[in-house]
Amino acid sequence: MNLDPSEDEAIEKTSENRTAACQDPDSKPAVKKKRKQPTECFLNQPEEKQESTVKAKKRKKKKISDVLQKSAPKPGVPADLQNLLTQHFGENRSIIELEELQLSDSCFLPANDLTHSFSSYLKEICPKWAKLRRSHKEKKSVVMLVLCSSALRSLELIKSMTAFKGDCRVLKLFAKHIKIKEQMNMLEKGVFHIGVGTPGRVKALVEQDALCLNSTKYMILDWNWRDQKLRRMVDIPEIKKETIDLLEKSIIKLCRDGSVKLGLF
């Protein structure tokens, strides 16, 4: 049977179209590409890992309170204060200058063994307090100076020394709610036996000649007490600096001369 050439061409085109439809790779691979999402999964995972790594690093960062919490409380000893001064001035002072900051053990009062209340500690280091209190008549001075980290702690110490102080006069020497001029006027007009306050305010009063240390016999540092963050007064940068400044400019010389004794409560 002979077919017309035009019919032959039509049959060939139909068969070609069927073959192309069966072998056309464009339709199914296109669907596969749309369903594939490996790139999105790969990009999301590193971000999540990175965030968790950052959080882990933040958690691992140690605070001073974490370190102190693991360390057992130890009573302060003279060597602790000497090490504090050496570390602070070691890089900027000569050997001769560092020697001038050294204090012998005879400059220190017995250290608190962590069993004392404040009153019992003061009674131990100053058994003749009643006599000293009666003989003290000088204005602008105190017989005993107590330094601590805050105004609140100053008030706590003043309350806790009731059994020791008797009827002597105690002056608050901190900045919170008390102007320095008010303290200067009180020192100039009255006689006080004990001063309790912060190193910054005491240093300011000494620098302005409002507080004279020539009559001071005892300097007590509230060394062992820790605040809510477990910091001692020497663990707080600002308090530490002011304490060291006061010691360097005024107290160390008096201790070396034998007129002042240092106590670490």
Side-chain angles (χ1 to χ4, degrees), residues 36-52:
K36 261 190 176 181
Q37 296 179 347
T39 308
E40 293 178 3
C41 296
F42 180 78
L43 290 174
N44 288 338
Q45 287 176 357
E47 288 180 1
E48 291 175 0
K49 287 182 180 179
Q50 188 175 2
E51 287 178 4
S52 61

Side-chain angles (χ1 to χ4, degrees), residues 21 27 41 45 60 67 78 100 146 156 158 167 173 180 206 223:
S27 58
C41 296
Q45 287 176 357
K60 288 181 180 179
V67 177
E100 292 177 353
V146 182
E156 290 176 357
I158 291 171
D167 60 353
L173 298 176
I180 191 170
V206 171
W223 188 272

Side-chain angles (χ1 to χ4, degrees), residues 105-124:
D105 289 343
S106 62
C107 296
F108 290 87
L109 296 161
N112 176 23
D113 60 2
L114 302 182
T115 62
H116 282 287
S117 67
F118 194 41
S119 282
S120 66
Y121 174 71
L122 295 179
K123 286 180 180 179
E124 180 178 316

Side-chain angles (χ1 to χ4, degrees), residues 135-161:
S135 61
H136 178 65
K137 304 295 182 183
E138 295 182 31
K139 298 177 180 179
K140 298 177 65 174
S141 66
V142 292
V143 180
M144 181 181 292
L145 194 55
V146 182
L147 299 182
C148 53
S149 59
S150 67
L152 183 60
R153 178 58 178 166
S154 299
L155 296 175
E156 290 176 357
L157 288 175
I158 291 171
K159 290 179 181 178
S160 64
M161 68 167 65

Side-chain angles (χ1 to χ4, degrees), residues 197-212:
T198 53
R201 178 49 62 90
V202 171
K203 182 166 71 79
L205 289 166
V206 171
E207 289 173 348
Q208 296 186 45
D209 296 324
L211 176 62
C212 178

Side-chain angles (χ1 to χ4, degrees), residues 2 5 24 27 62 68 76 79 100 106 115 124 140 167 169 179 196 209 223 230 234-235 248 253 256 259 261:
N2 294 327
D24 185 11
S27 58
K62 290 184 178 180
L68 293 172
E100 292 177 353
S106 62
T115 62
E124 180 178 316
K140 298 177 65 174
D167 60 353
R169 299 185 69 189
K179 295 180 180 180
V196 183
D209 296 324
W223 188 272
L230 301 179
V234 293
D235 295 321
E248 181 199 11
K253 184 180 183 303
R256 289 171 68 94
S259 61
K261 296 285 188 181

